[in-house]
Amino acid sequence: MAIPSSLKIVAVAVLAGGIGLLAGQWVGGGGLLTRTELGQRALQSWYAKDAPAPPAGLAVARRGAPVPSLTLPGLDGRPMSLPQAHAGRPVLVNLWASWCGPCIKEMPELDRYARSQGGNGVQVVGIALDDRDSVAAFLQRVPVGYPILLDAPGPRDAGVRLGNPKGVLPYTVLIGADGTLLKQRIGPFAEGEIDAWVE
């Protein structure tokens, strides 16, 4: 029995629409893949499938477990240890680079959120996987009010240690007041989105 040509056209249109929807989700900032907890978990599992294994002996944060101590220098050279520097308060850690377009686009939202929290709320810390001069020049143009730490990208960088073996940027984690890794996020935050994500 032959399939009517009108049914073939509808089937092709539905398939093309589905492919377009998936492509739009991927290219357009992730949509469901980045905006829901279920989508984030699926995205992280997908990235982890073919990510390189962390180097032997490297302590890597796992959701629901204490975050291994991480000490990095700030722009002024003074070291900060996470999560100890903000013990007793939740910490939102955002990994970025000066060359990463989505990272740059979300920085005003991170800065807005950090300012809304003050010294007693969720503390925001940025970690730039970039060189000091590029970061300093960028922050002259786009200043933020939260601390920025520095790390060199590579198999032992802060992103890998915070559960991002594929090295996708931007990457954000939420560490609870008790030092436990609560949430992980691949991709940028849209305006006004952080508040609900943290809750």
Side-chain angles (χ1 to χ4, degrees):
M1 182 167 123
I3 299 174
S5 61
S6 60
L7 189 56
K8 288 180 187 176
I9 292 170
V10 170
V12 169
V14 168
L15 179 61
I19 292 170
L21 179 63
L22 288 174
Q25 291 290 309
W26 184 256
V27 175
L32 295 175
L33 289 178
T34 60
R35 306 287 183 243
T36 67
E37 186 62 21
L38 182 62
Q40 273 293 320
R41 287 180 187 241
L43 187 60
Q44 289 159 12
S45 293
W46 186 72
Y47 276 132
K49 280 189 321 187
D50 62 349
L58 184 70
V60 176
R62 303 277 180 235
R63 189 185 299 255
V67 173
S69 183
L70 175 67
T71 302
L72 295 169
L75 280 172
D76 60 3
R78 292 188 354 215
M80 177 186 284
S81 295
L82 295 173
Q84 296 85 345
H86 299 293
R89 285 177 284 180
V91 183
L92 185 149
V93 181
N94 175 260
L95 286 102
W96 67 285
S98 65
W99 47 261
C100 167
C103 302
I104 294 165
K105 188 175 179 182
E106 77 174 347
M107 288 185 87
E109 173 64 6
L110 289 161
D111 192 47
R112 178 209 59 84
Y113 181 75
R115 291 178 193 281
S116 77
Q117 294 297 300
N120 295 319
V122 176
Q123 300 303 291
V124 176
V125 176
I127 299 176
L129 298 179
D130 208 336
D131 68 89
R132 186 195 180 290
D133 291 342
S134 295
V135 172
F138 173 79
L139 292 173
Q140 286 293 320
R141 296 188 313 273
V142 184
V144 296
Y146 54 89
I148 299 292
L149 307 179
L150 301 169
D151 198 8
R156 303 181 74 83
D157 70 31
V160 174
R161 290 187 275 169
L162 290 172
N164 184 19
K166 192 84 169 180
V168 181
L169 294 177
Y171 176 71
T172 305
V173 298
L174 179 62
I175 303 171
D178 62 354
T180 299
L181 181 62
L182 300 177
K183 287 187 170 183
Q184 300 163 279
R185 181 185 173 99
I186 294 171
F189 288 102
E191 186 176 339
E193 193 176 16
I194 296 175
D195 305 75
W197 185 76
V198 169
E199 288 177 2

